[in-house]
Amino acid sequence: MSVRTRARTRIRPALAALALCGSLAACSSGAAGAPRATDGTKAPDAPDVPAKVTVVTPAAGRTVTVTATGGTLTTVKVVDTDGGVLAGRTATGGASWVSDRKAAPGTSYRVEATARTAGGKQTTTRSTFSTAKAAQVNKVTLAPGKNSTVGVGHPLSIVFDRPVTNKADVEKQLKVTTSNGTVGSWGWLKDWSGKDRVDWRPREYWKPGTKVTLDATLNGTDSGGGWFVRDYRTGFTVGGGAQVVKVDLDRKKLVLERDGREVRTIPVSGGTPGGDKRSWRGTAVLMAKEGTINMNSETVGLGDAYDKMVDHSMRLTWSGMYAHAAPWNAKYFGRANRSSGCIGMSDADAAWFYAQVRPGDPFEIRGADTKGTVAEGNGYGAWNVSWEAWRAKSAVGR
């Protein structure tokens, strides 16, 4: 009995020591951090395979996408043949990069992308791609002219050469910046020529001194009737002194106001009542000072009523309403409306008035017997639309 008891006493400490050894081996950082082959030797490290970079070649009007598999993108450069950089953003985690702008039609691009693996291996991939040329190209005409100075009523106006059915896509690429945070909105309309047009007008007349800039980042945008293949940038300044011309056809007078104060009252003769020779009412904006021009009644559908050279001509509508010198109507100034639709005045008054006004000055015209209100596309008639109605003409719901 005593012999067996001693044998059990020797075995138990040995088992305890073996169990403790196994526990230490499991917790040892040296044992966990050294993978070993089946023969007990250390296994070789897995190779650091370079990340795979893929450029998703886009069609014109689509963004460029670059992706990395097995690593993260550190830099991506996309440049066209003219040196223009297509900027973009890398997604969180660095697995992909997407251009901010769309690829333009008929353009070749060079892509250089650098990716890094988790182990620090860096690789640079270079590639090129080209987009197909546009079947139809859309262009624009901007007003007012670049670096011009205008009156407080002049909208920023864009007329398109070809139809615009993707109005929201186009409008999103049009950014207006003003020096004083002017509130305004785009509104789509038909120009007098029948072409699509979009104007940006303020809620109220511009403040004198406002500087306005347009950045039209249209390159690569499909208008629905043709592609844009370039960007446009323009700007203008609203001149000092807020001038408004108030025309009362019932009283046959014109008043030039500057900063709310009357500068001068001029007797005038407006369109003849009761027929096609009546004047328009509402707010018309001075489009251009054209000087001495030939006026022919046939061009405005009035037959052979007149064909003469006219001095100090100031265009108010595309349909042919002007303010100008009309010495042949001298006996009617301030007394009766006897013109063929224009606002006529004496040579002396017209010369003085012509020197005072600038394109963009609004003419607020009233009268009982007129042929209607100036339409938005007949010159710059946007001021005849309420602010709420004008905002509703935007394609992006501003």
Side-chain angles (χ1 to χ4, degrees):
M1 288 290 291
S2 62
V3 173
R4 290 175 181 170
T5 300
R6 284 196 297 272
R8 289 193 192 99
T9 303
R10 294 191 191 98
I11 292 170
R12 286 193 183 107
L15 290 172
L18 181 61
L20 179 60
C21 180
S23 176
L24 289 173
C27 296
S28 171
S29 60
R36 296 183 178 277
T38 55
D39 62 359
T41 61
K42 182 180 178 182
D45 293 335
D48 193 2
V49 179
K52 180 182 179 181
V53 175
T54 303
V55 179
V56 181
T57 304
R62 304 293 182 185
T63 54
V64 180
T65 302
V66 181
T67 62
T69 304
T72 58
L73 294 165
T74 56
T75 61
V76 177
K77 295 180 181 178
V78 182
V79 183
D80 63 30
T81 51
D82 295 326
V85 176
L86 199 62
R89 302 165 188 260
T90 303
T92 303
S96 65
W97 177 97
V98 180
S99 64
D100 295 332
R101 296 283 306 274
K102 301 169 184 176
T107 305
S108 295
Y109 293 93
R110 184 178 70 257
V111 182
E112 182 178 295
T114 299
R116 188 192 305 271
T117 65
K121 189 175 183 63
Q122 183 170 292
T123 56
T124 299
T125 302
R126 297 175 178 86
S127 63
T128 61
F129 70 92
S130 297
T131 55
K133 291 184 178 181
Q136 299 286 353
V137 174
N138 208 339
K139 299 179 181 180
V140 306
T141 301
L142 303 171
K146 189 174 184 179
N147 298 326
S148 59
T149 299
V150 300
V152 297
H154 207 309
L156 198 167
S157 185
I158 306 175
V159 179
F160 300 90
D161 282 0
R162 297 190 60 80
V164 179
T165 56
N166 300 334
K167 290 182 171 60
D169 289 346
V170 171
E171 187 176 331
K172 288 174 183 177
Q173 302 305 121
L174 307 176
K175 181 181 179 182
V176 177
T177 305
T178 68
S179 59
N180 52 18
T182 301
V183 174
S185 175
W186 290 105
W188 289 87
L189 57 143
K190 284 291 183 183
D191 186 62
W192 187 258
S193 65
K195 295 180 178 180
D196 284 323
R197 175 176 139 193
V198 65
D199 287 3
W200 198 94
R201 57 150 275 204
R203 182 198 297 265
E204 300 170 344
Y205 290 153
W206 298 103
K207 292 181 180 179
T210 303
K211 295 184 183 300
V212 185
T213 302
L214 167 69
D215 282 298
T217 54
L218 291 169
N219 193 7
T221 302
D222 180 9
S223 71
W227 290 86
F228 296 101
V229 295
R230 56 161 292 191
D231 294 335
Y232 298 85
R233 181 180 172 86
T234 191
F236 60 92
T237 301
V238 181
Q243 293 195 149
V244 179
V245 181
K246 297 189 175 181
V247 181
D248 189 332
L249 296 177
D250 293 333
R251 299 176 65 185
K252 293 83 177 175
K253 71 174 186 177
L254 174 156
V255 178
L256 174 63
E257 292 185 355
R258 185 176 298 135
D259 294 326
R261 296 189 296 273
E262 182 177 326
V263 177
R264 185 166 174 173
T265 298
I266 297 174
V268 298
S269 180
T272 304
D276 293 337
K277 293 184 179 181
R278 291 174 293 175
S279 299
W280 294 103
R281 67 175 177 271
T283 300
V285 173
L286 179 56
M287 299 173 66
K289 296 165 67 174
E290 298 181 5
T292 300
I293 62 173
N294 175 256
M295 291 192 179
N296 188 310
S297 56
E298 292 182 353
T299 63
V300 290
L302 294 177
D304 59 356
Y306 57 87
D307 185 0
K308 61 183 69 178
M309 301 303 293
V310 180
D311 295 330
H312 309 301
S313 298
M314 295 160 273
R315 180 182 283 275
L316 298 175
T317 69
W318 285 123
S319 61
M321 184 168 76
Y322 285 77
H324 60 75
W328 54 88
N329 266 350
K331 64 182 179 180
Y332 298 120
F333 298 146
R335 297 182 176 86
N337 292 320
R338 289 293 183 272
S339 81
S340 295
C342 294
I343 300 167
M345 61 196 83
S346 71
D347 280 329
D349 285 337
W352 177 88
F353 184 65
Y354 190 90
Q356 302 300 311
V357 295
R358 62 168 67 97
D361 285 347
F363 281 56
E364 298 176 352
I365 306 166
R366 55 183 294 183
D369 196 354
T370 56
K371 56 185 174 184
T373 302
V374 177
E376 300 100 294
N378 188 10
Y380 302 123
W383 297 107
N384 297 312
V385 179
S386 70
W387 173 243
E388 292 73 19
W390 180 256
R391 290 187 68 198
K393 293 178 178 290
S394 166
V396 297
R398 292 180 184 175

